[in-house]
Amino acid sequence: MTTATATRQGSAERLRDAAADSIAIAWRNLLTLRRVPQLLVFSTIQPVIFVLLFRYVFGGAIAVRGARYVDFLMPGIFAQTVAFGAMNTAIGLATDLNTGLIERFKSLPMARSAVLAGRTAADLVRNVFVVFLMASVGFAVGFRVHTNVIAFLAGVTLIILFGYAMSWIFAAVGLAVGDPETAQAAAFPVMAPLVFASSAFVPVGSMPGWLQPFARHQPLSVTTSAVRSLMLGGPTTSNALQALAWIVAIVAIAAPLAVRRYRHSA
């Protein structure tokens, strides 16, 4: 066996071991949801309330050109749901760090990448459930897809990828602060401008002129616009490529930061 062959086999084995460790950590986090179902219940109540409030309280006061407000609203609700859900990554990792669990993970013969990869993978699985739940609520209150099933599923996939990217940002936040209460407090100032200064709930053209450039080009607005194009019709390719570019850029920047914080934690 040559040195190069041995090196490739060793790399393949390390990748398999890292994948197995990540799956084990992801399963552990998903079991937490099963054992403490309140976490999943309360993480879905808020977006359901948002749907009902904006649909029946604000929907009559917000005019959207060329579309019914409920159709305009739901892609924004999807983006808002996974964005706020990413805060659970920060809180979960801060809790593990605060209780000493991260230190115990580091003492085990497991891949260092498994803790972060497993946490973000578990949150991705949770987002799949939550997004389809929100879609069901949306259909119940009048939301309709104006393209086709494939475009709808592509939009859902884009939303889930966006949620995955956001979870890496908040993984870094949670490891940086190391306390669940502080993690929640630190996450909100990052989250609030992204969600509320965006096109999620109202057209950007209704905002003050100085705010519109940020609101139009920030990642949550770009993702929401792409999902609207996929579900309602419009310039799909351009919007989807911009959203994917944001997702890749966020992961490329946030994941190394989270890994660095993990190595220096505990």
Side-chain angles (χ1 to χ4, degrees):
M1 181 182 297
T2 64
T3 303
T5 302
T7 300
R8 284 196 297 270
Q9 290 181 349
S11 299
E13 289 178 0
R14 286 193 294 272
L15 286 174
R16 286 196 298 269
D17 291 341
D21 293 339
S22 300
I23 291 171
I25 296 296
W27 182 245
R28 174 251 176 193
N29 290 321
L30 291 173
L31 285 178
T32 300
L33 294 177
R34 191 180 71 177
R35 293 168 181 167
V36 190
Q38 298 92 329
L39 293 174
L40 189 59
V41 171
F42 287 109
S43 67
T44 57
I45 286 177
Q46 183 185 27
V48 169
I49 292 174
F50 266 99
V51 171
L52 298 177
L53 281 177
F54 278 89
R55 172 69 176 96
Y56 294 113
V57 178
F58 302 115
I62 301 175
V64 179
R65 182 179 299 176
R68 296 184 308 147
Y69 182 66
V70 65
D71 294 337
F72 176 89
L73 171 68
M74 287 310 300
I77 289 289
F78 295 151
Q80 175 256 339
T81 298
V82 299
F84 273 116
M87 294 171 61
N88 292 328
T89 305
I91 296 170
L93 283 172
T95 300
D96 290 345
L97 188 61
N98 196 38
T99 59
L101 186 61
I102 295 292
E103 188 173 0
R104 278 179 279 174
F105 280 148
K106 286 185 173 182
S107 68
L108 296 175
M110 59 184 295
R112 289 294 181 93
S113 61
V115 173
L116 296 179
R119 165 63 66 173
T120 53
D123 290 340
L124 184 148
V125 173
R126 178 181 55 81
N127 277 336
V128 172
F129 168 78
V130 172
V131 169
F132 277 103
L133 175 63
M134 292 302 98
S136 300
V137 174
F139 289 131
V141 299
F143 171 61
R144 296 294 180 266
V145 175
H146 295 267
T147 51
N148 54 60
V149 174
I150 294 176
F152 170 75
L153 293 177
V156 169
T157 301
L158 198 59
I159 283 291
I160 292 169
L161 290 175
F162 176 69
Y164 180 74
M166 294 298 295
S167 69
W168 279 105
I169 293 178
F170 289 101
V173 172
L175 291 171
V177 299
D179 176 78
E181 290 82 5
T182 306
Q184 187 170 10
F188 188 78
V190 177
M191 191 62 64
L194 285 177
V195 172
F196 296 108
S198 74
S199 63
F201 305 124
V202 298
V204 173
S206 66
M207 300 179 186
W210 58 267
L211 183 58
Q212 289 186 22
F214 170 79
R216 182 171 288 111
H217 299 293
Q218 56 115 320
L220 192 139
S221 288
V222 171
T223 303
T224 301
S225 296
V227 175
R228 283 198 183 108
S229 298
L230 286 163
M231 296 184 181
L232 307 183
T236 304
T237 302
S238 174
N239 288 336
L241 289 176
Q242 290 180 58
L244 287 172
W246 265 116
I247 290 167
V248 171
I250 290 171
V251 174
I253 294 172
L257 290 176
V259 171
R260 187 177 298 116
R261 289 302 312 174
Y262 177 77
R263 288 175 177 170
H264 293 88
S265 61

